[in-house]
Short mmCIF file of all heavy atoms in Angstrom, two decimals:
data_model
loop_
_atom_site.label_atom_id
_atom_site.label_comp_id
_atom_site.label_asym_id
_atom_site.label_seq_id
_atom_site.Cartn_x
_atom_site.Cartn_y
_atom_site.Cartn_z
N LEU L 205 7.40 -137.58 7.38
CA LEU L 205 7.65 -138.81 6.61
C LEU L 205 7.07 -138.70 5.20
O LEU L 205 7.68 -139.14 4.23
CB LEU L 205 7.07 -140.02 7.33
CG LEU L 205 7.87 -140.51 8.54
CD1 LEU L 205 7.08 -141.54 9.33
CD2 LEU L 205 9.20 -141.10 8.10
N ASP L 206 5.87 -138.10 5.10
CA ASP L 206 5.29 -137.85 3.77
C ASP L 206 6.26 -137.03 2.93
O ASP L 206 6.51 -137.32 1.76
CB ASP L 206 3.98 -137.05 3.88
CG ASP L 206 2.82 -137.91 4.37
OD1 ASP L 206 2.95 -139.14 4.32
OD2 ASP L 206 1.81 -137.34 4.80
N ILE L 207 6.79 -135.98 3.56
CA ILE L 207 7.64 -135.05 2.82
C ILE L 207 8.96 -135.71 2.46
O ILE L 207 9.51 -135.50 1.38
CB ILE L 207 7.83 -133.75 3.63
CG1 ILE L 207 6.49 -133.04 3.75
CG2 ILE L 207 8.86 -132.85 2.99
CD1 ILE L 207 6.48 -131.84 4.65
N LEU L 208 9.46 -136.56 3.36
CA LEU L 208 10.72 -137.26 3.08
C LEU L 208 10.61 -138.14 1.83
O LEU L 208 11.60 -138.36 1.12
CB LEU L 208 11.12 -138.11 4.28
CG LEU L 208 12.51 -138.75 4.21
CD1 LEU L 208 13.59 -137.68 4.28
CD2 LEU L 208 12.72 -139.76 5.33
N SER L 209 9.39 -138.60 1.55
CA SER L 209 9.22 -139.47 0.38
C SER L 209 9.47 -138.72 -0.92
O SER L 209 9.59 -139.31 -1.98
CB SER L 209 7.82 -140.08 0.36
OG SER L 209 6.88 -139.12 -0.07
N ARG L 210 9.56 -137.38 -0.85
CA ARG L 210 9.81 -136.60 -2.05
C ARG L 210 11.29 -136.34 -2.27
O ARG L 210 11.67 -135.65 -3.23
CB ARG L 210 9.08 -135.25 -1.94
CG ARG L 210 7.57 -135.35 -1.83
CD ARG L 210 6.94 -135.65 -3.16
NE ARG L 210 7.36 -134.70 -4.18
CZ ARG L 210 6.90 -133.46 -4.30
NH1 ARG L 210 5.98 -133.04 -3.49
NH2 ARG L 210 7.34 -132.67 -5.24
N GLY L 211 12.13 -136.86 -1.40
CA GLY L 211 13.56 -136.66 -1.58
C GLY L 211 14.15 -135.84 -0.44
O GLY L 211 13.43 -135.10 0.23
N GLU L 212 15.45 -136.00 -0.22
CA GLU L 212 16.06 -135.35 0.94
C GLU L 212 16.22 -133.85 0.76
O GLU L 212 16.01 -133.08 1.69
CB GLU L 212 17.42 -135.99 1.23
CG GLU L 212 17.29 -137.25 2.04
CD GLU L 212 18.26 -138.31 1.62
OE1 GLU L 212 19.47 -138.02 1.55
OE2 GLU L 212 17.81 -139.43 1.34
N LEU L 213 16.61 -133.42 -0.44
CA LEU L 213 16.74 -131.97 -0.68
C LEU L 213 15.38 -131.31 -0.55
O LEU L 213 15.24 -130.26 0.09
CB LEU L 213 17.31 -131.71 -2.07
CG LEU L 213 18.79 -132.00 -2.28
CD1 LEU L 213 19.18 -131.72 -3.72
CD2 LEU L 213 19.63 -131.17 -1.34
N PHE L 214 14.37 -131.95 -1.14
CA PHE L 214 13.02 -131.39 -1.05
C PHE L 214 12.59 -131.27 0.40
O PHE L 214 12.06 -130.23 0.82
CB PHE L 214 12.03 -132.27 -1.83
CG PHE L 214 10.62 -131.76 -1.79
CD1 PHE L 214 10.16 -130.90 -2.78
CD2 PHE L 214 9.76 -132.11 -0.76
CE1 PHE L 214 8.86 -130.41 -2.73
CE2 PHE L 214 8.47 -131.62 -0.71
CZ PHE L 214 8.02 -130.77 -1.70
N ALA L 215 12.85 -132.32 1.18
CA ALA L 215 12.45 -132.31 2.59
C ALA L 215 13.17 -131.19 3.34
O ALA L 215 12.56 -130.43 4.09
CB ALA L 215 12.74 -133.66 3.23
N THR L 216 14.48 -131.06 3.11
CA THR L 216 15.25 -130.06 3.84
C THR L 216 14.78 -128.66 3.49
O THR L 216 14.61 -127.80 4.35
CB THR L 216 16.75 -130.18 3.51
OG1 THR L 216 17.11 -131.55 3.65
CG2 THR L 216 17.59 -129.34 4.44
N LYS L 217 14.53 -128.41 2.20
CA LYS L 217 14.11 -127.06 1.82
C LYS L 217 12.68 -126.78 2.27
O LYS L 217 12.27 -125.64 2.39
CB LYS L 217 14.24 -126.87 0.31
CG LYS L 217 13.20 -127.61 -0.49
CD LYS L 217 12.77 -126.82 -1.70
CE LYS L 217 11.70 -127.55 -2.47
NZ LYS L 217 10.63 -126.68 -2.94
N SER L 218 11.91 -127.84 2.58
CA SER L 218 10.54 -127.64 3.05
C SER L 218 10.45 -127.52 4.56
O SER L 218 9.36 -127.37 5.09
CB SER L 218 9.64 -128.79 2.58
OG SER L 218 9.70 -128.92 1.19
N GLY L 219 11.58 -127.65 5.24
CA GLY L 219 11.56 -127.45 6.69
C GLY L 219 11.64 -128.73 7.51
O GLY L 219 11.36 -128.71 8.70
N VAL L 220 12.00 -129.84 6.88
CA VAL L 220 12.14 -131.10 7.61
C VAL L 220 13.63 -131.37 7.80
O VAL L 220 14.40 -131.26 6.85
CB VAL L 220 11.51 -132.27 6.83
CG1 VAL L 220 11.81 -133.59 7.50
CG2 VAL L 220 10.01 -132.07 6.69
N ASN L 221 14.02 -131.72 9.02
CA ASN L 221 15.42 -132.07 9.25
C ASN L 221 15.65 -133.49 8.73
O ASN L 221 15.54 -134.47 9.45
CB ASN L 221 15.76 -131.98 10.73
CG ASN L 221 17.25 -132.08 10.96
OD1 ASN L 221 17.98 -132.65 10.15
ND2 ASN L 221 17.72 -131.53 12.07
N ALA L 222 15.95 -133.58 7.43
CA ALA L 222 15.99 -134.88 6.77
C ALA L 222 17.14 -135.74 7.29
O ALA L 222 17.01 -136.96 7.37
CB ALA L 222 16.12 -134.70 5.26
N VAL L 223 18.25 -135.10 7.65
CA VAL L 223 19.40 -135.87 8.15
C VAL L 223 19.01 -136.62 9.43
O VAL L 223 19.22 -137.82 9.57
CB VAL L 223 20.59 -134.92 8.42
CG1 VAL L 223 21.73 -135.68 9.08
CG2 VAL L 223 21.05 -134.29 7.12
#
Side-chain angles (χ1 to χ4, degrees):
Chain L
L205 284 169
D206 285 344
I207 294 173
L208 188 67
S209 77
R210 298 283 307 282
E212 277 142 52
L213 286 178
F214 180 91
T216 311
K217 72 143 182 139
S218 304
V220 173
N221 191 336
V223 174

